[in-house]
Structure formats: C-alpha cells, structure tokens
Amino acid sequence: MSQTQHDIVIVTPVYEDQEASGRLFNELAKELGQRVFVIAVDDGSVRQPLDIASLREGGVDGVVLKLRRNVGHQRAIAIGLGYADERLLPGQRVVVMDSDGEDLPSTIPPLLAQLDNPAIDVVVAQRKSRVETFKFKAFYQVYKRFFSLMTGRPISFGNFMALKPAAVRRLVAMQELPIHVAAAVLASKLRTGICPLDRGPRYAGQSKMNFVGLALHGFKALMVFAEDVLVRVGIFSAGLAVLSIGGSGLAILLKLFGYSTPGWFSIALGVLLLIFLQTGALALMTLMLTGVMRSGSVVTAVAHREFIAEVFETAP
C-alpha cells in the first residue's frame, strides 16, 4: 500500500535499535490504525539492521530506507523527509519522531490537532517532563540559555513535530536541515505552534548519545545561525576593545596626575593593550568569516537519493 493512501506519514530514524522500533510500530498501529504510513530510516545499522518484517509484525504500512552508511540522526531525518516530500498529497500530515519510545505515539493526536489551524505550518513538542538524569537536565538548561544568548532566539523543542506538506517542502530545500532539524525549523520562518507534552521512557536498550555527542548536537544548532553568532561575538569583541582603550586612557591620566602606585601603570597598560589586541583580532576574524559565509551560502535541496541503498516496502 502506497504512502498516498494514508493521511499520516511518520518519519523516524532507527540505528541499532530493532527491539525499541518494533514496539514503536506496534504502538503506532494501536493508536492510529490504518491512517499511518511509516518511513523508517535505517541509519546504516550493522548489528541490528532494521527489516521490513518489523513493520509488518507491528501492523503498519510503510517502507524501510536502508542507507549506504551511518550519516547521523539529523541527516537521517532529513533523508526521510526528502523521501516523503516526493510523494506527499495536500491533505496529508507528516510527523517526525524518534524510534526509541521517548516520543509517545499517544501524543501524536494533540500535535495534529493544532495543524488544523490555518495560521500554523508546523507544531513542535515542548517537553513538560523528562525522564532524564540530573546531568542531562542541567546541561540542557545551560544549553538553552547559551543558545539564546548567542543567537537571540529561544529553543525549547527537539525533533518531535508535525508538519503540513508545504512546511516539509520548505524544510527539505534548506541546507541547514541535515545539520540540526529543530534549528532549521527556527531558521525557516515557518509559523510554529507549540504543544506541551510529556516525554516517555525508552522502550528498550540504552541511549547511544553520550555527553560528547549531546554537546556536539548543541553546537550544530549554533552552526545553523553561524552568521548571527559571529556578528554577536564580533560586537562583543569590539565592545571589549573600546573598553580597553578607555581603560588605557584612564591609566595614562592617573599616571600623569600621580595617582598610580609604582609598577601599577605598566601592568595595567600591558593587560589592557593585550585585551585590545586579542579582542580586535577576534572582531576582525568574525567579520571576515561572516563575509565568507554570506558570499558562499548556496541553498540546495537535501540530496536524499544518493544516501539510500535500498527501499523495502510492506506491500510493494
């Protein structure tokens, strides 16, 4: 049965997680029945490759996209969206979710309900509660504040979202999508609705994302807004440079009027000069990098086909 015969299309990446994804398919069938079509992107799994039998046993229609190699969670989602976009009809809705059970199938209807609003293009899940360690929660709070400081935009959602076909079409044309899906949604200027939802526990196994991976994932979100980050760093550096010049002038005046203690003037002037040189060089570098990025930014669609080795369908 083809994608066009269902009104809900699920895009989910799977990497070495056959047990958890199998349970997800079963839960999707119970929750949404024949309405759902699953695009499961097997992100180069070697130990537990995803088989089309998992979808059949779960009772859902869909396809398994076997990728040629492991490309990472975000690019796998982008590939799945690119595949879905080629077959979407106007009345269909696309849901992006993880396959480990933390994105609950029972919370999909509230997401879809908000898409009935003609003024909303995409609905994102904002977590009310998390089943995570204290270290993860603390890191996430720091990350959100750092992201807001560096980009001027708040971020409080992940990959769990529902999209209209026009939103999918816009996202797959963005070169930022494979880098960080949530940040790409922010950069897309799509009209976004927020749906507070609880986060569930994993169905099985352990998360393959370690602390280093989480930090890298966070920095990739900053890469999407690299121009904004560079400009803000440049402005901050220029501000420090101006303050160091003012401080140097004040130190010279204090020296001339005899208010400085022996040795104080040379130390203070040396430190302020060093700050000026470093911040001035940093400001110049950031402005140059911003210019390079602007001149070399070319928007290209997600080339999903070159990553797909095989496509298996439940009912070809």
Side-chain angles (χ1 to χ4, degrees), residues 42 45 66 86 93 101 106 115 121 142 157-158 172 187 195 197 213-214 240 251 255 258 278 287 304 307:
D42 184 357
S45 300
K66 292 273 190 178
E86 292 182 339
R93 300 290 183 263
S106 60
L115 281 184
D121 302 311
V142 171
F157 61 93
V172 298
C195 184
L197 298 172
L214 287 171
L240 279 181
K255 178 67 173 178
Q278 289 183 334
L287 291 175
H304 64 278
F307 292 99

Side-chain angles (χ1 to χ4, degrees), residues 3-7 9 84-94 164-166 169:
Q3 174 182 315
T4 57
Q5 295 172 282
H6 303 76
D7 63 326
V9 178
D85 177 56
E86 292 182 339
R87 297 158 180 81
L88 278 178
L89 296 178
Q92 292 180 314
R93 300 290 183 263
V94 176
K164 292 178 179 177
R169 194 175 307 118

Side-chain angles (χ1 to χ4, degrees), residues 194-260:
I194 297 176
C195 184
L197 298 172
D198 291 326
R199 189 178 183 91
R202 285 183 60 89
Y203 287 140
Q206 298 293 325
S207 174
K208 298 171 183 63
M209 182 76 79
N210 55 25
F211 184 79
V212 174
L214 287 171
L216 178 61
H217 182 65
F219 280 115
K220 284 184 176 181
L222 293 174
M223 289 171 58
V224 172
F225 300 100
E227 288 187 7
D228 293 349
V229 173
L230 288 173
V231 170
R232 282 173 175 260
V233 171
I235 292 173
F236 175 75
S237 300
L240 279 181
V242 171
L243 288 176
S244 66
I245 293 174
S248 299
L250 180 60
I252 292 172
L253 289 175
L254 291 175
K255 178 67 173 178
L256 291 175
F257 288 100
Y259 289 104
S260 63

Side-chain angles (χ1 to χ4, degrees), residues 118-289:
I120 292 179
D121 302 311
V122 54
V123 180
V124 298
Q126 188 179 66
R127 301 304 184 184
K128 292 191 297 184
S129 63
R130 289 180 172 271
V131 186
E132 305 286 0
T133 63
F134 173 78
K135 184 172 76 170
F136 177 90
K137 292 179 180 178
F139 172 79
Y140 186 65
Q141 291 301 318
V142 171
Y143 159 68
K144 287 199 300 183
R145 285 159 177 77
F146 182 70
F147 182 89
S148 179
L149 175 66
M150 298 302 292
T151 67
R153 298 170 175 83
I155 187 168
S156 58
F157 61 93
N159 303 317
F160 193 21
M161 62 185 70
L163 310 100
K164 292 178 179 177
V168 176
R169 194 175 307 118
R170 188 181 184 97
L171 284 176
V172 298
M174 297 180 64
Q175 62 182 359
E176 297 91 347
L177 183 64
I179 300 174
H180 197 283
V181 175
V185 170
L186 285 177
S188 68
K189 310 297 184 183
L190 288 167
R191 298 169 296 179
T192 304
I194 297 176
C195 184
L197 298 172
D198 291 326
R199 189 178 183 91
R202 285 183 60 89
Y203 287 140
Q206 298 293 325
S207 174
K208 298 171 183 63
M209 182 76 79
N210 55 25
F211 184 79
V212 174
L214 287 171
L216 178 61
H217 182 65
F219 280 115
K220 284 184 176 181
L222 293 174
M223 289 171 58
V224 172
F225 300 100
E227 288 187 7
D228 293 349
V229 173
L230 288 173
V231 170
R232 282 173 175 260
V233 171
I235 292 173
F236 175 75
S237 300
L240 279 181
V242 171
L243 288 176
S244 66
I245 293 174
S248 299
L250 180 60
I252 292 172
L253 289 175
L254 291 175
K255 178 67 173 178
L256 291 175
F257 288 100
Y259 289 104
S260 63
T261 58
W264 176 88
F265 174 74
S266 57
I267 294 175
L269 191 63
V271 169
L272 290 170
L273 179 61
L274 184 61
I275 292 174
F276 171 75
L277 292 175
Q278 289 183 334
T279 54
L282 184 58
L284 181 61
M285 288 173 58
T286 54
L287 291 175
M288 290 175 61
L289 286 171

